[in-house]
Amino acid sequence: LDADLVVDAAGAGGFLARHLGIPSALDRIGLRTSLVYGHFADVPPFPGTALDADFPPGPYPDEQAAVHHVLEEGWMYVLPFDHGVVSAGVVLARAAERDRAARLTPERAWEEILGRYPTLAAQWSGARPLRPLATVPLLQHRLERAAGDGWALLPHAFCFFSPLFSTGIAWSLLAVERLALLLEDQDDPRALGDGLDRYGSLLASEAEHLRQLVEGAYAAAGRGFDLLAAFSDLYFAAASFSEIRQRLFDTPEDGGPWAWEGFLGSGDPVLREALGRTLEDLRTLPVDRFSADLARRIAPRNVAGLADPSRNHLYPVDLAPLLRHPERVGLTEEGLRRRLDRLRS
C-alpha cells in the first residue's frame, strides 16, 4: 500500500506505535489506575435504592445523566442508555486495590468492591451482565510523539489519562477536524508537513494540560468529595467558556479556525494560570478557602454561574450569568443579545 498520510485511530498500542517504534512516555504520567467494567440490564435508578438518602431536586433527572460515585478505592461511573442498558465501571486508584483486583476474576472483583457499599449493593443486586465483565490493568498510556513525516495519531492512540472528565470523544473529534483542514491544502507537501508538526505540538501541550487537570482531580478526591466538586469547576468553566465562544463567534480573535484553539483552555492564559495556582493550593488549603480562591480565579471565564454555594452543585442551563457579564466573552450587553440565537442547539 502507498499513502501520503497514515492516520492511526486504533487506540493504545496501535499500528503506528508498533510499526514506527514510537517510544513510550508513560513516565510523564504520575497517575496509575485500572478498570473493572461491563454492560448490564435490570439496573434500577440509584435514588430509588439508596438507603436513607435525601436527594434535593435538580435541574434534570440525576439517573439519566452520567452518574459518578466517589469511592475509597477510586470512583465508579454509571452510564444509562435510552434502551435500558447501563454501562458501568469501577476505576481503581489505590495500588493495593489494583493488585487485589488483578488476582480476582472481573466478576469477583466487581462483587467485592460494590459489596462494601450498601447503597450500591442494593442498586446492583438484581443487575444482569449482558456479556462477561472485563478489566483493563492499566488505563494510562502516552507516546513520545503524536505526528511525523506522513503520519499522525488521533488523541487516544497518542495518550490517555482517565475517563473522569469524558474528554476522549471531544478531543478526538477536534483532532479529526484539524487533520481535515490540513488535507484541504494537500497540493503543497510542505504545508502538510508544517501542519503535522503543528498538530503534534498542539496535542503534546494539550496532553500536559489534561494530565494536570486529571491528576489534580484525583488528588482532590483523595481529600474528600467537597474538594473534588470544587476542583471540578475548573473543568466546567473551561468547557462551557469554550463552547459558548464557538457558538457566539465564527472564528477566534486571530481569525483562524476554532479547531486550532487549545482544547479545554490549554491555550488560554487565564485558565492555565488558574489551574497552576489551584494545583499549588490543592494539598494545603481547607475546602472553604480553596473554593473561594478557585471561584475568584475562574471568574473571568465563568459564563455558567459556577462556584455558587446556593446551587448545591446543581446547575441548570442558565443564560443569566452570561447576560450579567457579557464582557467575559468580549461583548457588550447589546452585542450579546443580538447573538443569543446562536446558542440554540
Side-chain angles (χ1 to χ4, degrees), residues 299-334:
R301 300 293 185 260
N302 188 358
V303 296
L306 302 167
D308 180 353
S310 68
R311 291 285 194 191
N312 194 29
H313 306 305
L314 299 171
Y315 295 97
V317 175
D318 184 7
L319 292 180
L322 180 61
L323 289 169
R324 285 196 299 269
H325 296 283
E327 74 283 356
R328 292 179 180 175
V329 290
L331 291 171
T332 63
E333 182 178 354
E334 177 59 29

Side-chain angles (χ1 to χ4, degrees), residues 141-162:
H141 74 91
R142 191 193 192 287
L143 299 177
E144 280 283 353
R145 302 176 64 198
D149 183 17
W151 62 272
L153 306 175
L154 287 192
H156 190 56
F158 171 52
C159 73
F160 183 76
F161 301 103
S162 172

Side-chain angles (χ1 to χ4, degrees), residues 20 69 139 154 158 176 194 217 233 236 297-298:
L20 299 179
H69 299 286
L139 282 172
L154 287 192
F158 171 52
V176 169
D194 292 344
D233 283 339
F236 289 111
R297 288 174 189 148
I298 66 172

Side-chain angles (χ1 to χ4, degrees), residues 5 145-152 179 182 189-205 260:
L5 175 65
R145 302 176 64 198
D149 183 17
W151 62 272
L179 292 172
L182 293 181
R190 291 173 301 177
L192 180 59
D194 292 344
L196 289 173
D197 288 343
R198 182 185 182 189
Y199 173 90
S201 296
L202 189 53
L203 253 63
S205 65
W260 292 104

